[in-house]
Amino acid sequence: MSELITRIASDLLIPVSYASVVARSAPHRYKVYQIPKKTGGTRTIAQPAREVKRLQYWVLDNLLCQCAVHETAMAYEAGSSILRNAAAHTQGRYLLKMDFRNFFSSIREDDFLLYMKQMAPELVDEEERDIVSHVLFWQPKKLKGLRLSVGAPSSPRVSNILMFDFDSQIAALCEDWGVSYTRYADDLAFSMDDKDARAEIERAVGETLRNIAWPGNLKVNRKKTYFGSRASRRRVTGLILTNDDRVSLGRQRKRLLRAQIHRFYVLEKQDRLDEQTLAGLVAFARSIEPDFVKRLERKFEIELPGGSENE
């Protein structure tokens, strides 16, 4: 029996034989369903069974925590946020956004095995690499090879680890060109003062994807490539970059929050759903534009949720 399985079983207080069975069969222990996309169509969610999640969390806490993630990766990591991601691009006059097509499902078991063999051989041996990959990757029906799933708690960290080489190369090139670069999952953002740098960046992204050892199947979604400037609205991970170098919620979100506050406090339509919705909207707004929330409190002469703890 693998020493890794023995460690997992001991830490999780489960029989070794059960841990072994779950690990080996993990790629097939997923609940699969579809959710609608904002842009139309559906997205496939593959959620691992509870027993598989327990093993994935163990791998996260005991193995993947030792693997490096590049500082430009702004999603899923401690201290990262959509605000930090957007704030990195407030200074540039021009903005380029790119997007990967089918990001998680394009990352395969082979990518992970090659990475572990070359970059982290001391963590697990060859047999154990196979066990870990089965714990982390999903087997879609009618498709060959194991893939990352949208729905597994380990997928975000795995994707960031396997994108380290790509992020490093792109970040180094951008530093030479005076361009700011961040990646939020499958969304790439570049800000710059030189408008002509756009073509160089697009070329560099394509060339880097062709040459990196892993992930080997990523493709840019050309339909989502966007080029903006201070003359137009610049949006990064759903937040607005203002021309005075700030990050804003945007007018639509502000109107929604005002309407919810008016409904809850002025019209006194205080059903449970409204209260929960309002608390979530206020918390999000306070994290992005705390001064805006304070202005609302003064206007309505109220204390909104979370105010006393954060001020």
Side-chain angles (χ1 to χ4, degrees), residues 99-108 111 148 159-160 162-167 181 183 185-186 188 205-222:
D99 181 272
F100 291 126
R101 185 168 59 239
N102 300 322
F103 179 57
F104 275 7
S105 63
S106 295
I107 298 176
R108 313 290 176 86
D111 298 317
L148 279 188
S159 68
N160 277 346
L162 293 181
M163 290 298 292
F164 182 87
D165 190 26
F166 173 87
D167 289 335
Y181 162 66
R183 180 181 58 81
D186 58 346
L188 314 179
V205 168
E207 184 176 338
T208 302
L209 288 176
R210 288 191 294 271
N211 292 329
I212 56 175
W214 57 77
N217 296 284
L218 286 181
K219 305 293 183 184
V220 172
N221 186 348
R222 299 294 179 185

Side-chain angles (χ1 to χ4, degrees), residues 37-266:
K37 293 182 179 181
K38 291 182 179 179
T39 55
T42 60
R43 185 186 309 278
T44 300
I45 305 296
Q47 188 173 51
R50 181 179 303 178
E51 64 273 14
V52 176
K53 284 185 181 180
R54 291 189 69 193
L55 269 61
Q56 290 177 344
Y57 280 120
W58 188 94
V59 171
L60 282 172
D61 294 339
N62 293 273
L63 298 178
L64 299 188
C65 62
Q66 301 179 56
C67 300
V69 171
H70 198 270
E71 61 183 8
T72 57
M74 296 288 177
Y76 317 125
E77 300 299 320
S80 64
S81 67
I82 62 172
L83 174 60
R84 184 180 170 212
N85 185 57
H89 301 285
T90 57
Q91 303 292 321
R93 295 174 59 196
Y94 301 99
L95 176 69
L96 169 65
K97 295 195 300 181
M98 303 178 72
D99 181 272
F100 291 126
R101 185 168 59 239
N102 300 322
F103 179 57
F104 275 7
S105 63
S106 295
I107 298 176
R108 313 290 176 86
E109 178 194 31
D110 290 346
D111 298 317
F112 180 76
L113 291 174
L114 184 59
Y115 170 89
M116 293 295 286
K117 180 179 180 179
Q118 296 190 12
M119 303 301 296
E122 73 286 351
L123 286 183
V124 287
D125 60 29
E126 184 174 356
E127 178 188 1
E128 292 171 340
R129 285 197 292 272
D130 184 63
I131 294 172
V132 173
S133 69
H134 274 63
V135 169
L136 298 176
F137 286 79
W138 163 55
Q139 178 59 71
K141 291 182 179 179
K142 300 181 180 180
L143 292 177
K144 295 178 63 176
L146 304 185
R147 304 160 186 240
L148 279 188
S149 76
V150 178
S154 52
S155 292
R157 179 74 181 186
V158 173
S159 68
N160 277 346
I161 290 169
L162 293 181
M163 290 298 292
F164 182 87
D165 190 26
F166 173 87
D167 289 335
S168 299
Q169 293 188 41
I170 295 298
L173 290 172
C174 286
E175 185 176 3
D176 291 341
W177 297 333
V179 173
S180 295
Y181 162 66
T182 62
R183 180 181 58 81
Y184 197 94
D186 58 346
D187 293 326
L188 314 179
F190 306 86
S191 54
M192 65 216 77
D193 290 327
D194 180 5
K195 184 178 182 179
D196 295 333
R198 175 197 180 190
E200 291 297 320
I201 291 169
E202 287 189 289
R203 180 196 59 77
V205 168
E207 184 176 338
T208 302
L209 288 176
R210 288 191 294 271
N211 292 329
I212 56 175
W214 57 77
N217 296 284
L218 286 181
K219 305 293 183 184
V220 172
N221 186 348
R222 299 294 179 185
K223 293 181 180 179
K224 291 188 176 181
T225 298
Y226 167 82
F227 189 57
S229 71
R230 287 178 179 255
S232 59
R233 186 173 65 172
R234 295 172 299 152
R235 183 189 296 270
V236 175
T237 47
L239 300 176
I240 303 300
L241 307 182
T242 68
N243 285 344
D244 57 352
D245 300 337
R246 294 184 301 108
V247 177
S248 172
L249 292 162
R251 283 177 290 184
Q252 183 175 356
R253 281 200 174 106
K254 289 180 178 180
R255 283 197 299 266
L256 176 60
L257 183 54
R258 288 193 194 96
Q260 289 287 345
I261 292 172
H262 183 265
R263 174 181 173 83
F264 190 87
Y265 289 100
V266 178

Side-chain angles (χ1 to χ4, degrees), residues 257-259 261-262 265-266 295-302 304:
L257 183 54
R258 288 193 194 96
I261 292 172
H262 183 265
Y265 289 100
V266 178
R295 291 196 298 272
L296 291 179
E297 289 179 320
R298 289 194 295 269
K299 174 181 178 180
F300 288 97
E301 297 182 343
I302 54 174
L304 291 169

